Amino acid sequence: MSARTYSLFDRLVMNFDQAVRTLAGRPLVTGRPNPADDREEAELSEAEKRESMRLMRVNHAGEVAAQALYQGQALTARLPVVRGRMERAAEEENDHLDWCEKRVNELGGHVSYLNPAWYFGSFAIGAAAGAIGDKWSLGFVAETEKQVIEHLDGHLRRIAPQDGKSRAIVEQMKVDEAHHGAEARRAGGVDLPQPVKQLMKLTSRIMTGAAYRV
Ligand SMILES: [Fe+2]
Ligand SMILES: [Fe+2]
């Protein structure tokens, strides 16, 4: 059986389908078990519950953005192997998306109202990175994952110690993000210029600040 090559139009249609799935909360997941499932729901104060909910909402918004970045990059990546890797990583991000949304709901919250904006903004950034060149877009993935891990570490310091369900999800996400970053570097991702890294940090600060609130 020969591998099918898709036209740019085919890929745009598939991307639109992915966008709808991501934003409507029905993404294609890998089917791995939710790491929170075998943890007991803990006794949390109202303040602890609210803080966990807000942080998990930030994580969910970050996963919406990650999903869009991968889809955007996959659209413009030149090498099929790079495109294939991006699509696989995007599917794993969908697990995170799914687990975070479930946890936000369990904690009595809602996902960020700004998710469509995160999706389309990140999609454009991803497509631009992919168009510049594979080694840069892979470098962009590696740097993104590094910054995400720093964020997740910050969240682990803020989530109540007894909130094992939220913590289990964040811990598994850290493992996966480290893997995605290492893969991107192995595939040829280069170290990004410092100003680009700073700009990425600034963008994520704006995004996480807004998703924390709404
Ligand atoms: Fe993720
Ligand atoms: Fe990732």
Side-chain angles (χ1 to χ4, degrees), residues 32 59 62-64 66-67 70 89-90 92-97 100 145 148 152 172-174 176-177 180:
R32 288 186 293 173
N59 291 336
E63 294 297 337
V64 167
Q67 188 57 228
Y70 277 118
E92 290 180 10
E93 304 298 3
N94 275 339
D95 290 346
H96 302 170
L97 195 73
C100 288
E145 298 292 15
V148 169
L152 296 175
Q172 185 57 51
M173 281 167 62
K174 266 184 68 180
D176 294 345
E177 311 307 11
H180 298 156

Side-chain angles (χ1 to χ4, degrees), residues 111-129:
V111 295
S112 176
Y113 295 131
L114 300 169
N115 282 345
W118 308 144
Y119 191 95
F120 291 106
S122 303
F123 185 86
I125 293 171

Side-chain angles (χ1 to χ4, degrees), residues 23-163:
L23 294 170
R26 290 289 153 266
L28 297 167
V29 292
T30 67
R32 288 186 293 173
N34 184 331
D37 281 354
D38 53 6
R39 302 292 184 99
E40 290 288 314
E41 187 64 79
E43 195 74 53
L44 298 172
S45 71
E46 270 313 305
E48 286 168 341
K49 197 170 165 182
R50 197 173 153 82
E51 180 70 351
S52 279
M53 184 279 285
R54 289 178 133 181
L55 293 175
M56 294 310 282
R57 180 163 68 204
V58 168
N59 291 336
H60 180 268
E63 294 297 337
V64 167
Q67 188 57 228
L69 274 177
Y70 277 118
Q71 296 299 335
Q73 287 177 322
L75 182 72
T76 52
R78 287 170 183 77
L79 299 169
V81 58
V82 171
R83 196 177 287 149
R85 278 216 176 93
M86 299 268 174
E87 280 163 2
R88 219 172 20 248
E91 237 169 68
E92 290 180 10
E93 304 298 3
N94 275 339
D95 290 346
H96 302 170
L97 195 73
D98 190 47
W99 302 337
C100 288
E101 179 173 6
K102 181 160 182 258
R103 191 62 190 143
V104 168
N105 292 335
E106 283 170 358
L107 292 163
H110 60 77
V111 295
S112 176
Y113 295 131
L114 300 169
N115 282 345
W118 308 144
Y119 191 95
F120 291 106
S122 303
F123 185 86
I125 293 171
I132 294 168
D134 289 339
K135 68 176 184 174
W136 294 106
S137 86
L138 288 165
F140 188 78
V141 170
E143 177 61 23
T144 303
E145 298 292 15
K146 186 171 155 260
Q147 294 189 14
V148 169
I149 292 168
E150 287 165 11
H151 258 284
L152 296 175
D153 277 328
H155 288 188
L156 286 172
R157 287 191 290 273
R158 291 165 70 182
I159 295 171
Q162 73 272 30
D163 184 2

